[in-house]
DNA sequence: ATTAGCAGTCATAGGGGTAGAGTGCCAGAA
DNA sequence: TTCTGGCACTCTACCCCTATGACTGCTAAT
């Protein structure tokens, strides 16, 4: 049995051409076509030998005996990691994204627009995970007593986003007590991270409990409740253009599309998946099974984190068929993430 | 040429059986099958004569020469208006809807749950239009100055729903001026209709302008802006289970489904359509073209308004294929609307 | 008014045959 | 050793044809 050759230059080049052609045509690539396309002046027979090697190594596979070959997940992975040559983005597209993002009022609208733009530019689905309230800046807080000992907390974050929350108050407070607590928080913490605010308060109270007035301890308790991130996950991933994905499902077998659709709208799963991309900088790609979700098996996810003040706060990207035009999509997602970050930074205003 | 006979008892009965069978089987009904099913001891040949009459009258039609007949829109209309015998709803379903609706915290969650329940119970898509903020009760208002002369308006409506809105303030106000304005509004108008509040203010100011202090006139101006319904239509129709509709599209021709999907998510169109149902009491049905929207041509919409304090404030319903089981769907939509109304009334609390 | 019978229409499913694309392998050329 | 032409083989996709069966409308008889 002959030893498998390492992947030489020629084999890599052929793999690259094969993947490119498969992405473009959507059909298994045969030796004849590959010989023509590769520009190496080799006969189909020679190509066949190389293809056979590539198949042994697990980079390509044939759906049946008399069909051409198509890339496996490892094939796509190798292609993306070391063979891909990205294409520069059309200037007009850049301009449109920047303009559309620039004209949005609230940061919520801005992120929604980003999702829509991604979907329109790619004819696939756009995904944007909202920043966790936790990681945005504390700007202003206000307490409003409701009936039955409940309190309405109004929290304004750095991007002028307004969050409402109703909490059960530990005891009855007078309006002026609440006002005092709010004033204290607004002066002391404006501009800080919300998570930081929570942790600082927690820390200080436990340190100096005995020296604090009951009022301050109470205020701290309310604030803890108010800033508690629990139960704060409504519509945290904005999906646009999901219907576009229908076109990539083979006709007559829509089950894959259906379960993809259901998974996409399963907030928890998607948040978890997107969160895995927030740590690493640059563009992240999940190909087929790599995501670990059954429903995403035949789809790829291209994502990038977007940042406010150099801190990654959310993730955006695109989902589409495994055979998507990565050389176009990757720079597009990268750019969009940067423009969204820039637009958000621009929106960040000084505290009230 | 023989005169067309009026629709006698027998013809009506046959139409009813035909529609029922077509809804159940989804395929054109032939004379043989109809003769068997009708229980009238008539031969297929006789049935054929009657069917021919029904076709002349425009109630049924045949897709091609050698196929059976299926109902036209008029056929469905006649069936629904005068032939239909509704089925009582399964007790367990009633209980589940009531329980699920009862366990929701906010009225937003409640309406979302209603949409989901409708979709699950019917395997079609559920639709719920949110009450216009305009038509809900005024409970409490608060003004909060932001930077650059903008004001944050916090409006709490009768169902303890919280609405935020940022307005451009006509001039700079001090915190106490704003407080005074809010206090005035809260005392004077608590419990009234929001629309009423707006109109009353508008009216009073124009009546007695010269006798009012500048402060009051300013407060009125702010309030006008704050309660202005313009630009208040984000996600006003909650759609759930839209993917279910895919199953009813013939395989291989998904274009109708695609354009339906897009129309459904076209907020403006849907709001307008749902609003047409808010006036009349009871269940309203649009069959096929009756809705006037191209994309809804082969679909039916069954709706009913839901009420708070006997005033219709929103519409809910179901969208599905024209051949849906109306005898089950109609009472279901009716019931759900009543239960949603009851749950909302139960949630309505006295002003702060 | 109803029915049986009959001729005619049309969609659908299945079988058979073929074209075409592609492969693996081998022997010979470079 | 590397490459190539040739050949046998495989498998899909497509087309054509036919058989089948579910209908209809019409007519003549009951």
């Amino acid at each position: 049995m002959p030893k498998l050759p390492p992947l030489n230059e020629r084999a890599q080049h052929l793999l690259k051409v094969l993947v490119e052609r498969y992405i473009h045509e959507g059909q298994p690539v045969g030796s004849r076509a590959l010989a023509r396309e590769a520009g190496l002046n080799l006969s189909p027979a020679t190509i066949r030998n190389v293809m056979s090697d590539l198949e042994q190594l697990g980079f390509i596979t044939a759906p049946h005996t008399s069909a051409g070959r198509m890339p496996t997940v490892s094939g796509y992975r190798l292609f993306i990691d070391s063979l891909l040559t990205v294409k520069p983005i059309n200037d007009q597209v850049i301009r449109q994204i920047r303009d559309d993002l620039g004209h949005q009022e609230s940061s919520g609208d801005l992120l929604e627009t980003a999702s829509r733009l991604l979907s329109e530019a790619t004819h696939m689905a756009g995904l944007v995970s909202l920043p966790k309230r936790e990681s945005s800046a504390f700007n202003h807080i206000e307490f409003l007593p409701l009936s039955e000992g409940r309190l309405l907390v109004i929290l304004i974050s750095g991007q002028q986003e307004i969050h409402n929350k109703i909490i059960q108050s530990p005891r009855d407070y007078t309006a002026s007590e609440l006002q005092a607590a709010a004033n204290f928080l607004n002066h002391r913490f404006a501009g800080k991270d919300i998570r930081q605010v929570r942790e600082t308060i927690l820390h200080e109270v436990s340190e100096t409990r005995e020296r604090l007035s009951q009022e301050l301890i109470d205020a701290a308790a309310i604030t803890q409740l108010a800033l508690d991130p629990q139960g704060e996950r409504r519509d945290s991933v904005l999906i646009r253009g999901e219907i576009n994905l229908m076109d990539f499902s083979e006709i007559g077998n829509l089950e894959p599309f259906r379960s993809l659709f259901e998974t996409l709208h399963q907030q928890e799963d998607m948040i978890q998946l997107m969160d895995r991309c927030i740590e690493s900088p640059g563009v992240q790609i999940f190909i087929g099974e790599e995501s670990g979700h059954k429903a995403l098996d035949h789809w790829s996810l291209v994502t990038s984190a977007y940042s406010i003040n150099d801190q990654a706060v959310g993730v955006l990207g695109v989902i589409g068929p495994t055979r998507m035009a990565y050389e176009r999509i990757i720079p597009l997602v990268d750019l969009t993430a940067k423009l969204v970050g820039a637009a958000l930074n621009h929106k960040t205003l000084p505290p009230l």
Side-chain angles (χ1 to χ4, degrees), chain A:
Chain A
M1 197 165 186
K3 223 176 57 188
L4 289 178
L7 216 48
N8 59 27
E9 191 96 2
R10 190 175 73 180
Q12 290 197 16
H13 178 247
L14 285 173
L15 177 60
K16 181 182 180 208
V17 176
L18 185 145
V19 175
E20 281 170 353
R21 187 176 159 111
Y22 181 74
I23 284 174
H24 192 247
E25 305 281 331
Q27 265 165 2
V29 183
S31 53
R32 260 178 85 82
L34 192 51
R36 227 183 301 114
E37 208 112 329
L40 290 181
N41 252 343
L42 290 175
S43 80
T46 311
I47 302 291
R48 280 204 283 280
N49 292 326
V50 182
M51 286 170 89
S52 177
D53 294 347
L54 286 170
E55 182 161 39
Q56 290 283 309
L57 290 164
F59 294 121
I60 56 179
T61 181
H64 61 83
T65 327
S66 75
R69 310 290 215 298
M70 50 204 248
T72 61
V73 171
S74 328
Y76 280 118
R77 179 47 68 193
L78 180 61
F79 173 76
I80 289 169
D81 288 346
S82 36
L83 306 177
L84 186 80
T85 45
V86 299
K87 269 194 189 163
I89 314 172
N90 186 327
D91 273 3
Q92 211 204 317
V93 174
I94 300 183
R95 208 163 325 121
Q96 202 206 325
I97 296 178
R98 197 196 329 256
D99 288 359
D100 276 21
L101 291 180
H103 290 142
Q104 301 309 312
E105 295 248 325
S106 74
S107 64
D109 285 350
L110 188 139
L111 295 172
E112 193 178 316
T113 304
S115 192
R116 182 177 54 75
L117 285 170
L118 282 169
S119 124
E120 285 173 2
T122 61
H123 302 287
M124 310 191 291
L127 303 175
V128 175
S129 82
L130 301 189
K132 285 209 175 49
R133 200 189 54 183
E134 277 261 284
S135 57
S136 58
F138 176 89
N139 190 326
H140 193 92
I141 201 166
E142 201 83 3
F143 299 112
L144 198 60
L146 301 177
S147 54
E148 297 171 20
R150 293 170 313 153
L151 281 179
L152 169 59
V153 181
I154 299 140
L155 176 69
I156 306 183
S157 69
Q159 269 62 46
Q160 307 280 309
E161 282 293 287
I162 300 150
H163 306 270
N164 300 116
K165 185 171 185 177
I166 293 177
I167 61 175
Q168 198 62 42
S169 149
R171 70 166 173 88
D172 272 357
Y173 294 95
T174 67
S176 62
E177 278 178 313
L178 292 172
Q179 190 62 54
N183 281 345
F184 172 73
L185 292 168
N186 289 332
H187 279 97
R188 175 88 157 70
F189 293 112
K192 295 258 191 328
D193 222 58
I194 289 184
R195 191 202 324 260
Q196 251 180 50
V197 176
R198 225 181 74 235
E199 281 162 7
T200 308
I201 292 176
L202 205 61
H203 192 249
E204 288 191 359
V205 168
S206 67
E207 286 272 292
T208 58
R209 182 164 213 105
E210 50 289 347
R211 279 181 284 136
L212 293 177
S213 65
Q214 187 58 39
E215 278 81 25
L216 270 181
I217 294 178
D218 284 349
I222 299 178
T223 314
Q224 282 306 316
L225 283 172
L227 301 186
D228 186 7
Q230 217 197 343
E232 181 223 331
R233 53 175 219 302
R234 168 184 289 273
D235 272 4
S236 300
V237 179
L238 299 173
I239 306 170
R240 288 299 123 99
E242 58 270 57
I243 198 72
N244 287 338
L245 301 180
M246 202 175 66
D247 297 343
F248 302 108
S249 237
E250 3 161 24
I251 50 158
N253 183 15
L254 285 160
E255 202 40 44
F257 169 68
R258 200 199 166 97
S259 53
L260 171 69
F261 189 93
E262 272 157 12
T263 305
L264 285 183
H265 288 261
Q266 198 88 29
Q267 287 286 330
E268 297 98 49
D269 288 2
M270 289 313 293
I271 292 170
Q272 200 199 334
L273 185 57
M274 304 282 281
D275 275 356
R276 277 161 62 190
C277 307
I278 209 169
E279 305 297 338
S280 356
V283 174
Q284 288 256 301
I285 302 177
F286 291 113
I287 305 161
E289 304 121 47
E290 291 180 351
S291 73
H293 284 70
K294 255 277 163 36
L296 302 188
D297 260 15
H298 293 268
W299 306 91
S300 281
L301 181 62
V302 178
T303 64
S304 176
Y306 60 88
S307 307
I308 301 177
N309 295 328
D310 290 328
Q311 158 125 41
V313 294
V315 174
L316 57 74
V318 144
I319 193 164
T322 329
R323 52 170 280 265
M324 66 171 77
Y326 295 96
E327 79 278 2
R328 243 176 21 84
I329 306 295
I330 292 173
L332 181 75
V333 168
D334 194 41
L335 174 82
T336 308
K338 291 197 173 101
L339 290 180
V340 164
L344 284 174
N345 272 320
H346 189 253
K347 278 222 164 358
T348 306
L349 294 176
L352 301 184

